[in-house]
Structure formats: structure tokens, C-alpha cells
Amino acid sequence: MTEATQANLLDGTAVAAEIRSEVAAGVAALTAAGGRAPGLAAVLVGDDPASRRYVGSKAKACEEVGMLSRVLTLPADLSQADLEATVDDLNADPAIDGILVQLPLPKQLDEDAILHRIDPGKDVDGFHPENVGHLWLDLPGFVPATPAGVMELLRRTGVELEGKHAVVVGRSHIVGKPMAALLLAENATVTVCHSRTRDLAAVCRRADVLVAAVGRAGMIGAEHVAPGAVVVDVGINVLTEREDVERFFAGDEKKLGAFERRGSVLIGDVDFHAAAANAAAITPVPGGVGPLTIAMLLVNTLTAGRRRQGLEIASAGEPGA
Ligand code: NDP
């Protein structure tokens, strides 16, 4: 590896494992108190392999912590009315506490209409406008799992946010915007950047904490990172061209070896080695933010199960407690 790894690695895999074991304990406590194990239903429309993989990992994670998991696989040519009827059934199902509809949906389906139809009390993805409003109003609700996971990672690895300048690159409903709300709630001073931001590198260099959620492989480089900044890479991109892999991972035997074996490697939105040379701490890809997304989905499902049964028995230190 290059000189890059002077920065501390923020180990998302370890933090996610910690959270998952807390959720398992929470499920056990809920059932011991006479409650029922929370249930998560995942709706998968079509057979996109990446979506199938994501849904499979979420279902498996649910079962590992003792929750009920139900996966509904529906045909790609499903009508809007049929998907809405499925959501209505799940809204009415007493064994189901959390509903997630795996995105993206096939083109004939109106994504917003579906997401807005989910009972806000079962909206463990936190995409319903009611939950979005609650987030910005500092009211209890469900927070999207990826930005919630970033916050847990920062909290549990001791990254201070109060009074710090946090720069978020990306303003999607799923990551960038809720990320900004959460950082603001922790008293960071927050700047949100997007595709029309002028001189992105100069804005990013003013960050104490830089969160990249752009969807562009390795876009954030050394010129975006001030010495001593904390860099959080939300991006998940796949490199399939040798030339790109050699450019981003020169001297990184592990990545180059993985590319030789598999023909592709994962990269975030951050050029890891370039950014790590300046950063004080940085998340790797994979093993950074990714594992936390599922962990926080489990936290949300446990919270939903407790609330719906009137058994709010979170223990101190648990996320959402
Ligand atoms: P979106 O495509 O919805 O949003 C991307 C954002 O980046 C937009 O706000 C866009 O700006 C901005 N952007 C695009 N190009 C530039 C640029 N050149 N300069 C500055 N800003 C730019 O992506 P998501 O938020 O859904 O996802 C972002 C990344 O995070 C992806 O790599 C995705 O795979 C990953 N992801 C990872 C998850 C995980 O579990 N770790 C979960 C969810 C996402 P504008 O609004 O102006 O178009």
C-alpha cells in the first residue's frame, strides 16, 4: 500500500457488528417481556441482480437478530395498482412492523406514490414525507438508514461534531439531505454541495468532516481534503477497467489482486489513497458506511416493533434510545 494509510480507518464492519448484537439483545428483551419479534417485509419488483442481493442480505440480517423476515418477489411488469395493493396488505398485516420497497422500481411504477403509501409507522426506510418532516423538526420518526449509520459511525469512533464544519457532497433524498439534517441536529455547521456547486474542491477543503455521497467513482481527491479532516465515503461504485483500477489503486496489492481474481473492484466516491494522505480518519470501501446501512435498518425495525406493541424498552447506549 502507499503512504495513504496515515489516516485512521473508521471501521464500519466492527461498528455494525456491535449494533447488530445490540439489536439481537433488544429483540430478545422484547420477546422476554411478552412481545413478539419484529417483522420486516421487503418488496422486490423484478429481478435486478444487485437489488436481489441487497434484499437477500437484509433478510438474512433480520433472521440473524431473531426478527421475522418476509421477502415478496413480484414480477417486473407489475402494475401500479397491484403494487399499491401489496403495500396496503402489508400496512394492515399485524405481524409486519417494517416495510421496505427496494429501489429502483421498474419504469412503469410511480416510486413516490408507492413510498408515500407505506404506513409512516412501518416506514423503516424513512422515506415517507411524514418521517422526512419529523427529521427536520427534531421529532421522533424513522431516519434513512445510510445517513443514520454515518452518524453512529462518527459517534462510536469519537468524532466530535459540535461547532465543526461538515460538508456533504450530494443532496439526494436518501443520503445527502437527511445527512445534512442529522449533522445540523448535532450542532455542526453544515454546507451541502451538488452538481452546480462552484469550486467544489475549495468548499470541501473547508470541511472538518467531509461526507461524499455523489455516485461518481473516486471523484473526491487530495485537493478536496484539508489536512486533519475526517472523510466519510458513502459511495459504492464498481470499477471494471484495468486502467481505472491501476490509477486509483497503484501499489495497493490487495485491490489489484482482487481485480485480477474477479475482474472488478468496488470503489467509493473518494479516491481513498489520495484522500487518506491528508485525512486524519477515513472510511474504507467496502467496510465503511455499507455495513452500517443494514445495521441501522435493523435498529429501525426493532424501534417500529417496540412502538407498535407499546413496549419501548430501549437500553442506554443503543442507537435510537
Ligand atoms: P444520487 O444520484 O441520488 O445523488 C447524487 C448527488 O450527487 C446529487 O445530489 C448530485 O447533484 C450530486 N452530484 C453528482 N455529480 C456531482 C458533481 N460532479 N459534483 C458535485 N455533486 C455532484 O445518489 P445517492 O445519494 O442515492 O447515492 C450516492 C452514492 O452513495 C452512490 O454511490 C450510491 O451507490 C451510494 N449509496 C450507498 C449506500 C450505502 O449503503 N453505503 C446507500 C445509498 C447510496 P444534483 O442534485 O445537482 O444532481
Side-chain angles (χ1 to χ4, degrees):
M1 230 179 253
T2 62
E3 77 280 11
T5 32
Q6 312 160 349
N8 284 328
L9 277 187
L10 299 175
D11 185 348
T13 306
V15 171
E18 199 174 286
I19 294 171
R20 284 158 79 138
S21 74
E22 288 166 8
V23 172
V27 173
L30 183 60
T31 50
R36 124 189 101 61
L40 176 71
V43 180
L44 174 63
V45 185
D47 54 6
D48 174 64
S51 293
R52 195 155 7 105
R53 244 191 342 270
Y54 287 137
V55 166
S57 336
K58 290 169 186 174
K60 183 163 165 272
C62 247
E63 285 157 16
E64 281 169 2
V65 296
M67 292 183 188
L68 168 82
S69 142
R70 196 185 299 163
V71 175
L72 284 82
T73 307
L74 303 170
D77 61 355
L78 189 76
S79 70
Q80 181 77 13
D82 284 344
L83 185 53
E84 288 180 1
T86 303
V87 169
D88 292 347
D89 287 347
L90 293 171
N91 282 342
D93 189 331
I96 296 300
D97 301 291
I99 302 171
L100 69 86
V101 175
Q102 185 63 41
L103 304 179
L105 289 171
K107 281 196 289 293
Q108 79 276 12
L109 297 169
D110 178 346
E111 213 161 86
D112 284 345
I114 296 298
L115 296 179
H116 298 181
R117 204 170 177 100
I118 296 173
D119 174 350
K122 295 190 177 188
D123 171 39
V124 287
D125 264 339
F127 297 158
H128 189 286
E130 186 173 311
N131 283 315
V132 176
H134 280 212
L135 171 61
W136 286 97
L137 294 169
D138 300 320
L139 295 171
F142 292 108
V143 176
T146 300
V150 171
M151 296 307 286
E152 277 302 308
L153 183 64
L154 295 175
R155 183 167 79 86
R156 293 182 190 229
T157 53
V159 175
E160 293 285 332
L161 291 170
E162 177 144 344
K164 298 289 176 62
H165 186 195
V167 173
V168 180
V169 190
R171 56 174 165 180
S172 71
H173 300 325
I174 295 174
V175 189
K177 283 179 187 165
M179 191 74 253
L182 291 167
L183 290 162
L184 193 58
E186 289 302 318
N187 298 315
T189 301
V190 182
T191 301
V192 182
C193 302
H194 46 76
S195 63
R196 321 279 168 85
T197 298
R198 263 185 276 161
D199 201 351
L200 181 70
V203 179
C204 290
R205 275 199 306 276
R206 296 208 303 270
D208 299 303
V209 176
L210 177 62
V211 181
V214 198
R216 289 174 184 258
M219 193 192 92
I220 301 296
E223 72 278 20
H224 297 83
V225 179
V230 173
V231 177
V232 177
D233 188 356
V234 178
I236 304 177
N237 312 285
V238 181
L239 292 183
T240 52
E241 299 297 324
R242 176 179 300 275
E243 188 189 337
D244 294 334
V245 179
E246 285 173 351
R247 177 160 54 95
F248 286 116
F249 298 110
D252 182 338
E253 296 308 329
K254 210 169 138 209
K255 277 282 186 188
L256 295 171
F259 179 71
E260 291 309 330
R261 287 193 303 282
R262 295 199 286 265
S264 67
V265 287
L266 287 185
I267 183 171
D269 293 337
V270 174
D271 177 347
F272 178 85
H273 292 299
N278 287 352
I282 187 166
T283 58
V285 175
V289 175
L292 285 156
T293 297
I294 292 189
M296 296 311 290
L297 176 70
L298 299 177
V299 170
N300 283 351
T301 307
L302 175 58
T303 303
R306 283 172 172 155
R307 282 190 191 145
R308 294 187 62 258
Q309 299 181 71
L311 290 166
E312 305 217 21
I313 49 174
S315 52
E318 223 180 84

Coordinates of all heavy atoms in Angstrom, one line a residue, residues 100-149:
L100 N -40.1 -2.3 3.5 CA -39.2 -1.6 2.6 C -39.5 -2.1 1.2 O -39.7 -3.3 0.9 CB -37.8 -1.8 3.0 CG -37.0 -3.1 2.9 CD1 -36.5 -3.2 1.5 CD2 -35.9 -3.1 3.9
V101 N -39.5 -1.1 0.3 CA -39.7 -1.4 -1.1 C -38.3 -1.1 -1.7 O -37.8 0.0 -1.7 CB -40.8 -0.5 -1.7 CG1 -40.9 -0.7 -3.2 CG2 -42.1 -0.7 -1.0
Q102 N -37.7 -2.1 -2.3 CA -36.4 -2.0 -2.8 C -36.4 -1.1 -4.1 O -37.2 -1.3 -5.0 CB -35.8 -3.4 -3.2 CG -34.3 -3.3 -3.6 CD -33.4 -2.8 -2.5 OE1 -33.5 -3.2 -1.4 NE2 -32.4 -2.0 -2.9
L103 N -35.5 -0.1 -4.1 CA -35.4 0.8 -5.2 C -34.2 0.5 -6.0 O -33.3 -0.1 -5.5 CB -35.3 2.3 -4.7 CG -36.5 2.7 -3.8 CD1 -36.2 4.2 -3.3 CD2 -37.8 2.6 -4.5
P104 N -34.1 0.8 -7.3 CA -35.2 1.5 -8.1 C -36.3 0.5 -8.5 O -36.0 -0.7 -8.6 CB -34.4 2.0 -9.3 CG -33.3 1.0 -9.5 CD -32.9 0.5 -8.1
L105 N -37.5 1.1 -8.7 CA -38.6 0.3 -9.2 C -38.6 0.4 -10.8 O -38.1 1.3 -11.3 CB -39.9 0.9 -8.7 CG -40.2 0.7 -7.2 CD1 -41.4 1.5 -6.8 CD2 -40.4 -0.8 -6.9
P106 N -39.2 -0.7 -11.4 CA -39.3 -0.6 -12.9 C -40.0 0.7 -13.3 O -40.8 1.3 -12.5 CB -40.1 -1.8 -13.2 CG -39.9 -2.8 -12.1 CD -39.7 -1.9 -10.9
K107 N -39.7 1.1 -14.5 CA -40.1 2.4 -15.0 C -41.6 2.7 -15.0 O -42.0 3.9 -14.8 CB -39.6 2.7 -16.4 CG -38.1 3.1 -16.5 CD -37.7 3.6 -17.8 CE -37.7 2.6 -18.9 NZ -36.6 1.6 -18.8
Q108 N -42.4 1.7 -15.2 CA -43.9 1.9 -15.2 C -44.5 2.3 -13.9 O -45.6 2.7 -13.8 CB -44.6 0.7 -15.8 CG -44.9 -0.5 -14.9 CD -43.7 -1.4 -14.8 OE1 -42.6 -1.1 -15.2 NE2 -43.9 -2.6 -14.2
L109 N -43.7 2.1 -12.8 CA -44.2 2.3 -11.5 C -43.8 3.7 -10.9 O -42.7 4.2 -11.1 CB -43.7 1.2 -10.5 CG -44.2 -0.2 -10.9 CD1 -43.4 -1.3 -10.2 CD2 -45.7 -0.3 -10.7
D110 N -44.8 4.3 -10.2 CA -44.5 5.6 -9.7 C -44.0 5.5 -8.2 O -44.7 5.2 -7.3 CB -45.9 6.4 -9.6 CG -45.8 7.8 -9.0 OD1 -44.8 8.1 -8.4 OD2 -46.8 8.5 -9.2
E111 N -42.7 5.7 -8.2 CA -41.9 5.4 -6.9 C -42.5 6.2 -5.8 O -42.7 5.7 -4.7 CB -40.4 5.8 -7.2 CG -39.5 4.9 -6.4 CD -38.1 5.0 -7.1 OE1 -37.3 6.0 -6.8 OE2 -37.8 4.2 -7.9
D112 N -42.6 7.5 -6.0 CA -43.1 8.4 -4.9 C -44.5 8.0 -4.4 O -44.7 7.9 -3.2 CB -43.2 9.9 -5.4 CG -41.8 10.5 -5.5 OD1 -40.9 9.9 -4.9 OD2 -41.7 11.6 -6.1
A113 N -45.4 7.6 -5.3 CA -46.7 7.2 -4.9 C -46.6 6.0 -4.0 O -47.4 5.9 -3.0 CB -47.6 7.0 -6.1
I114 N -45.7 5.1 -4.4 CA -45.6 3.8 -3.6 C -45.0 4.2 -2.2 O -45.5 3.7 -1.1 CB -44.7 2.8 -4.3 CG1 -45.4 2.4 -5.6 CG2 -44.4 1.6 -3.4 CD1 -46.7 1.7 -5.4
L115 N -43.9 4.9 -2.2 CA -43.3 5.2 -0.9 C -44.2 6.0 0.0 O -44.2 5.8 1.2 CB -42.0 6.0 -1.1 CG -40.9 5.3 -1.9 CD1 -39.7 6.1 -2.1 CD2 -40.5 4.0 -1.2
H116 N -45.0 6.9 -0.6 CA -46.0 7.7 0.2 C -47.2 6.9 0.7 O -47.9 7.3 1.6 CB -46.4 8.9 -0.6 CG -45.3 9.8 -1.0 ND1 -45.5 11.0 -1.7 CD2 -44.0 9.7 -0.8 CE1 -44.3 11.6 -1.9 NE2 -43.4 10.8 -1.3
R117 N -47.3 5.7 0.2 CA -48.5 4.8 0.6 C -48.1 4.0 1.8 O -49.0 3.5 2.5 CB -48.8 3.9 -0.6 CG -50.3 3.5 -0.5 CD -50.6 2.8 -1.8 NE -52.0 2.3 -1.7 CZ -53.0 2.9 -2.3 NH1 -52.9 4.0 -2.9 NH2 -54.2 2.4 -2.1
I118 N -46.8 3.8 2.1 CA -46.4 3.0 3.2 C -46.8 3.7 4.5 O -46.7 4.9 4.7 CB -44.9 2.8 3.2 CG1 -44.5 2.0 2.0 CG2 -44.4 2.1 4.5 CD1 -43.0 1.8 1.7
D119 N -47.4 2.9 5.4 CA -47.8 3.5 6.8 C -46.5 4.1 7.4 O -45.5 3.4 7.6 CB -48.3 2.3 7.6 CG -48.6 2.6 9.1 OD1 -48.2 3.8 9.5 OD2 -49.1 1.8 9.8
P120 N -46.5 5.4 7.7 CA -45.3 6.0 8.3 C -44.8 5.3 9.5 O -43.6 5.3 9.8 CB -45.8 7.4 8.7 CG -47.0 7.7 7.8 CD -47.7 6.3 7.6
G121 N -45.7 4.6 10.3 CA -45.2 3.9 11.4 C -44.5 2.6 11.1 O -43.8 2.0 11.9
K122 N -44.5 2.2 9.8 CA -43.8 1.0 9.3 C -42.7 1.4 8.3 O -42.1 0.5 7.7 CB -44.8 0.0 8.7 CG -45.9 -0.6 9.6 CD -46.6 -1.7 8.9 CE -47.7 -2.3 9.9 NZ -48.3 -3.5 9.4
D123 N -42.5 2.7 8.1 CA -41.6 3.2 7.1 C -40.2 3.1 7.6 O -39.6 4.2 7.8 CB -42.1 4.6 6.7 CG -41.1 5.3 5.8 OD1 -40.6 4.6 4.9 OD2 -40.9 6.5 6.0
V124 N -39.6 1.9 7.7 CA -38.3 1.8 8.3 C -37.2 2.4 7.4 O -36.0 2.5 7.8 CB -38.0 0.4 8.7 CG1 -38.8 0.0 9.9 CG2 -38.3 -0.6 7.6
D125 N -37.5 2.7 6.2 CA -36.5 3.3 5.3 C -36.5 4.9 5.5 O -35.6 5.6 5.1 CB -36.8 3.1 3.8 CG -36.0 1.9 3.3 OD1 -34.9 1.6 3.8 OD2 -36.4 1.3 2.2
G126 N -37.5 5.4 6.2 CA -37.6 6.8 6.5 C -37.8 7.7 5.3 O -37.4 8.8 5.3
F127 N -38.5 7.2 4.2 CA -38.6 8.0 3.0 C -40.0 8.7 2.9 O -40.2 9.5 2.1 CB -38.5 7.1 1.8 CG -37.1 6.5 1.6 CD1 -36.9 5.3 0.8 CD2 -36.0 7.0 2.2 CE1 -35.6 4.7 0.7 CE2 -34.7 6.5 2.1 CZ -34.5 5.3 1.3
H128 N -40.9 8.3 3.8 CA -42.3 8.9 3.8 C -42.2 10.4 4.2 O -41.4 10.7 5.1 CB -43.2 8.1 4.7 CG -44.6 8.5 4.6 ND1 -45.1 9.7 5.1 CD2 -45.7 7.9 4.0 CE1 -46.4 9.8 4.8 NE2 -46.8 8.7 4.1
P129 N -42.9 11.3 3.5 CA -42.8 12.7 3.8 C -43.1 13.0 5.3 O -42.5 13.9 5.9 CB -43.9 13.3 3.0 CG -44.2 12.4 1.9 CD -43.8 11.0 2.4
E130 N -43.9 12.2 6.0 CA -44.1 12.4 7.4 C -42.8 12.2 8.2 O -42.5 13.0 9.1 CB -45.2 11.5 7.9 CG -45.6 11.7 9.4 CD -46.8 10.9 9.8 OE1 -47.8 10.9 9.1 OE2 -46.7 10.3 10.9
N131 N -42.1 11.2 7.9 CA -40.8 10.9 8.6 C -39.8 11.9 8.2 O -38.9 12.3 9.0 CB -40.3 9.5 8.3 CG -41.1 8.5 9.1 OD1 -41.3 8.7 10.3 ND2 -41.6 7.4 8.5
V132 N -39.8 12.4 6.9 CA -38.8 13.4 6.5 C -39.1 14.7 7.3 O -38.2 15.3 7.8 CB -39.0 13.7 5.0 CG1 -38.1 14.8 4.5 CG2 -38.7 12.4 4.2
G133 N -40.4 15.0 7.4 CA -40.7 16.2 8.2 C -40.3 16.1 9.6 O -39.8 17.0 10.2
H134 N -40.6 14.9 10.2 CA -40.2 14.7 11.6 C -38.7 14.9 11.8 O -38.2 15.4 12.8 CB -40.6 13.3 12.1 CG -42.1 13.3 12.4 ND1 -42.6 12.4 13.4 CD2 -43.2 13.9 11.9 CE1 -43.9 12.6 13.5 NE2 -44.3 13.5 12.6
L135 N -37.9 14.4 10.8 CA -36.5 14.5 11.0 C -36.1 16.0 11.1 O -35.3 16.4 11.9 CB -35.8 13.8 9.7 CG -34.3 14.1 9.6 CD1 -33.5 13.5 10.8 CD2 -33.8 13.4 8.3
W136 N -36.6 16.8 10.2 CA -36.2 18.2 10.1 C -36.8 19.0 11.3 O -36.3 20.1 11.7 CB -36.6 18.9 8.8 CG -35.7 18.4 7.7 CD1 -35.9 17.4 6.8 CD2 -34.4 19.0 7.4 NE1 -34.9 17.3 6.0 CE2 -33.9 18.2 6.3 CE3 -33.6 20.0 8.0 CZ2 -32.6 18.5 5.8 CZ3 -32.4 20.2 7.4 CH2 -31.9 19.5 6.3
L137 N -37.9 18.4 11.9 CA -38.5 19.1 13.1 C -38.0 18.5 14.4 O -38.5 18.9 15.5 CB -40.0 19.0 13.0 CG -40.7 19.7 11.8 CD1 -42.1 19.2 11.7 CD2 -40.6 21.2 12.0
D138 N -37.0 17.7 14.3 CA -36.4 17.0 15.6 C -37.5 16.3 16.3 O -37.5 16.2 17.6 CB -35.7 18.1 16.5 CG -34.6 18.8 15.8 OD1 -33.8 18.1 15.0 OD2 -34.5 20.0 16.0
L139 N -38.4 15.7 15.6 CA -39.4 14.8 16.3 C -39.1 13.4 16.0 O -38.4 13.0 15.0 CB -40.8 15.1 15.6 CG -41.3 16.5 15.9 CD1 -42.6 16.8 15.0 CD2 -41.6 16.7 17.4
P140 N -39.5 12.5 16.9 CA -39.2 11.0 16.7 C -39.9 10.5 15.4 O -41.0 11.0 15.0 CB -39.9 10.3 17.9 CG -40.3 11.4 18.8 CD -40.4 12.7 18.1
G141 N -39.2 9.7 14.7 CA -39.7 9.1 13.5 C -38.6 8.1 13.0 O -37.8 7.6 13.8
F142 N -38.6 7.8 11.7 CA -37.6 7.0 11.1 C -36.7 7.7 10.3 O -37.1 8.5 9.4 CB -38.3 5.8 10.4 CG -39.0 4.9 11.3 CD1 -40.4 4.8 11.3 CD2 -38.3 4.1 12.2 CE1 -41.1 4.0 12.1 CE2 -39.0 3.2 13.0 CZ -40.4 3.2 13.0
V143 N -35.4 7.5 10.5 CA -34.3 8.2 9.7 C -33.7 7.2 8.7 O -33.5 6.1 9.1 CB -33.2 8.7 10.7 CG1 -32.1 9.3 10.0 CG2 -33.8 9.6 11.8
P144 N -33.5 7.7 7.5 CA -33.0 6.8 6.5 C -31.7 6.1 7.0 O -30.8 6.8 7.6 CB -32.7 7.7 5.3 CG -33.7 8.8 5.4 CD -33.9 9.0 6.9
A145 N -31.6 4.8 6.7 CA -30.5 4.0 7.4 C -29.1 4.4 7.0 O -28.2 4.4 7.9 CB -30.7 2.5 7.0
T146 N -28.8 4.9 5.8 CA -27.4 5.2 5.5 C -26.9 6.4 6.2 O -25.9 6.3 6.9 CB -27.3 5.3 3.9 OG1 -27.7 4.1 3.3 CG2 -25.9 5.6 3.6
P147 N -27.6 7.5 6.2 CA -27.1 8.7 7.0 C -27.2 8.4 8.5 O -26.3 8.8 9.2 CB -28.0 9.8 6.6 CG -29.2 9.3 5.9 CD -28.7 7.9 5.3
A148 N -28.2 7.6 8.9 CA -28.2 7.3 10.4 C -27.0 6.4 10.7 O -26.4 6.6 11.8 CB -29.5 6.5 10.7
G149 N -26.6 5.6 9.8 CA -25.4 4.8 10.0 C -24.1 5.6 10.1 O -23.2 5.4 10.9

